[in-house]
Amino acid sequence: MSKRQLAMVMDLNKCIGCQTCTVACKTQWTNRNGREYMYWNNVETYPGAGYPKNWMELGGGFDAAGDLQPGVIPNLEADYGVPWDYNYDELQNGASFEPNVEPTWGPNWDEDQGAGAFPQDNYFFYLPRICNHCTNPGCLSACPRDAIFKREQDGVVLVDLDRCQGYRYCIAGCPYKKIYFNPKISKSEKCILCFPRVEQGLPPACAQQCVGRIRFVGFLDDEEGQVSKLVNKYKVALGLRPEYGTQPNVYYVPPTESPAKFDAEGKIIEGSTRLPVEELEKLFGPDVHQAIATLKAEMKKRKETGESELMDILIAYQHSDMFRLDNNYYQEVAKAAGQTPLAPVDNRYVAGKHTSTKHVMNFTHGGHAAGGHH
């Protein structure tokens, strides 16, 4: 059991599927050395097969009794898809534009397809996914080498590559299929929640680059933090597929609005909604009904009174307000371990439970230095 738990909340009402997070992660961690097919962060269209293909049907996780369930290791070619490139160098010689391998599957293969009949009742939304850094990780339980562990200081789930022998039981045990096998080094690898960035006061790359401002990052026990308020106070942020029993620490604010349906004559069916709440219950469990009710009540309150702490949090007026990384805490952890604490690279995100000073941000305006407290 870790002392604290770093967590992320993603507001699905604001995700536009731009894949900036995917590119940020890809260029930072997985564009080389056997990781080419890996997407530690991906954004898939729901409903859809996802990445790897049909990951929700591949087993893993725990049953109601807490027993680890068998799972399937996705096939590299059929379920992930072999990464391909194009013959750009040959185009100047008159060659036709061709891929170097025949594409059969890949991330976003079914992007924007969704479900329903166009234009009457079709629908979809975007579902960004990273490792859930679970409190009870299926990957950790499945590993016979004890090569997977949760960091005591923040609960980030990591692979000890010195101990990993590439057995891949971890992949079968993870119900989210967010751990990958690197064929070049015969080791398992996964999202590390950008802990080297977090320790220096920077948000994970996917959160930093998110243009939709959907991602909040902070500690669950930081009661003044946005993550804790969304998860614990308002209970509008829910874990993905809670029936897997892994207690995920990536949470989602479910989508609350969708267009009305059209009838056979193309007229709007008043009071209808395209997004079936049953699909949301499938993803986030029965608590999604109360979460949606709370969100709609707070939207109504904000509209009528102009006030709602929950709406203010979700709007995220300042991107920096979405991250409370508590750099002072990491400094104390390093000191306790006899290590030299790293100076924060960016002090905008240091405010947290263990931060004694107020958040101070300096900036220039009209050539004059100015400052402000948050």
Side-chain angles (χ1 to χ4, degrees), residues 298-308 312 317:
E298 289 291 322
M299 282 190 276
K300 182 173 183 290
K301 174 185 170 185
R302 176 58 182 269
K303 192 173 183 179
E304 294 175 350
T305 68
E307 296 181 358
S308 168
D312 285 343
Y317 294 99

Side-chain angles (χ1 to χ4, degrees), residues 231-298:
V231 175
N232 299 320
K233 181 178 179 180
Y234 292 104
K235 303 185 187 305
V236 296
L238 307 169
L240 183 63
R241 300 300 301 259
E243 74 275 16
Y244 291 154
T246 62
Q247 302 174 47
N249 288 301
V250 172
Y251 299 84
Y252 295 88
V253 178
T256 58
E257 306 292 336
S258 67
K261 298 178 182 178
F262 296 155
D263 63 18
E265 298 178 352
K267 296 180 180 178
I268 292 176
I269 302 175
E270 297 295 342
S272 64
T273 181
R274 294 181 179 229
L275 180 54
V277 71
E278 293 79 12
E279 290 291 339
L280 298 179
E281 186 172 343
K282 178 180 175 183
L283 289 178
F284 306 116
D287 290 344
V288 75
H289 297 280
Q290 183 57 51
I292 292 174
T294 300
L295 287 163
K296 290 190 172 182
E298 289 291 322

Side-chain angles (χ1 to χ4, degrees), residues 40 44 53 71 153 159 186 226-227 297 335 368:
W40 291 358
E44 53 200 45
K53 185 193 293 181
Q153 60 264 48
V159 179
S186 292
Q226 299 89 335
V227 166
K335 287 179 183 176
H368 302 287

Side-chain angles (χ1 to χ4, degrees), residues 38-360:
M38 300 182 193
Y39 284 83
W40 291 358
N41 179 106
N42 74 296
V43 182
E44 53 200 45
T45 297
Y46 188 87
Y51 188 81
K53 185 193 293 181
N54 299 322
W55 62 268
M56 286 192 230
E57 302 169 9
L58 300 182
F62 303 90
D63 64 14
D67 294 326
L68 187 65
Q69 296 301 291
V72 174
I73 301 172
N75 179 273
L76 178 58
E77 185 171 344
D79 299 323
Y80 294 107
V82 176
W84 67 90
D85 205 343
Y86 291 92
N87 58 336
Y88 300 105
D89 294 339
E90 299 174 7
L91 296 181
Q92 60 183 339
N93 299 322
S96 61
F97 190 52
E98 300 289 346
N100 61 340
V101 297
E102 185 64 30
T104 57
W105 187 258
N108 306 317
W109 192 267
D110 54 356
E111 188 171 33
D112 292 357
Q113 290 184 13
F118 177 82
Q120 290 90 349
D121 60 359
N122 58 304
Y123 70 96
F124 68 82
F125 60 89
Y126 298 113
L127 183 66
R129 297 203 305 121
I130 64 172
C131 167
N132 286 285
H133 297 279
C134 303
T135 298
N136 184 30
C139 60
L140 185 153
S141 295
C143 179
R145 290 277 301 166
D146 291 332
I148 298 178
F149 63 100
K150 282 181 71 69
R151 296 216 308 176
E152 186 177 2
Q153 60 264 48
D154 54 16
V156 171
V157 176
L158 298 176
V159 179
D160 182 343
L161 294 182
D162 288 333
R163 293 194 61 81
C164 179
Q165 293 294 311
Y167 296 155
R168 288 173 272 186
Y169 291 113
C170 54
I171 302 174
C174 172
Y176 304 101
K177 297 297 174 270
K178 271 300 179 184
I179 189 162
Y180 301 83
F181 179 68
N182 186 327
K184 280 198 172 180
I185 60 174
S186 292
K187 308 281 187 183
S188 291
E189 297 184 307
K190 60 181 288 302
C191 160
I192 60 174
L193 206 56
C194 286
F195 76 84
R197 289 174 55 87
V198 171
E199 289 178 352
Q200 294 192 66
L202 292 172
C206 59
Q208 175 87 71
Q209 297 298 324
C210 178
V211 297
R213 294 186 181 180
I214 80 162
R215 301 188 185 217
F216 300 83
V217 184
F219 288 90
L220 285 175
D221 66 348
D222 179 11
E223 295 181 356
E224 295 303 313
Q226 299 89 335
V227 166
S228 178
K229 288 183 177 179
L230 293 170
V231 175
N232 299 320
K233 181 178 179 180
Y234 292 104
K235 303 185 187 305
V236 296
L238 307 169
L240 183 63
R241 300 300 301 259
E243 74 275 16
Y244 291 154
T246 62
Q247 302 174 47
N249 288 301
V250 172
Y251 299 84
Y252 295 88
V253 178
T256 58
E257 306 292 336
S258 67
K261 298 178 182 178
F262 296 155
D263 63 18
E265 298 178 352
K267 296 180 180 178
I268 292 176
I269 302 175
E270 297 295 342
S272 64
T273 181
R274 294 181 179 229
L275 180 54
V277 71
E278 293 79 12
E279 290 291 339
L280 298 179
E281 186 172 343
K282 178 180 175 183
L283 289 178
F284 306 116
D287 290 344
V288 75
H289 297 280
Q290 183 57 51
I292 292 174
T294 300
L295 287 163
K296 290 190 172 182
E298 289 291 322
M299 282 190 276
K300 182 173 183 290
K301 174 185 170 185
R302 176 58 182 269
K303 192 173 183 179
E304 294 175 350
T305 68
E307 296 181 358
S308 168
E309 181 190 45
L310 177 56
M311 289 299 107
D312 285 343
I313 292 173
L314 292 174
I315 290 170
Y317 294 99
Q318 299 292 328
H319 201 194
S320 58
D321 292 343
M322 303 181 74
F323 314 120
R324 283 169 64 94
L325 302 177
D326 211 347
N327 187 266
N328 282 4
Y329 169 66
Y330 283 106
Q331 300 249 338
E332 293 303 318
V333 168
K335 287 179 183 176
Q339 301 168 344
T340 302
L342 295 169
V345 172
D346 192 324
N347 64 8
R348 287 177 296 170
Y349 314 128
V350 300
K353 181 179 179 182
H354 295 268
T355 302
S356 57
T357 56
K358 289 186 176 180
H359 171 188
V360 179

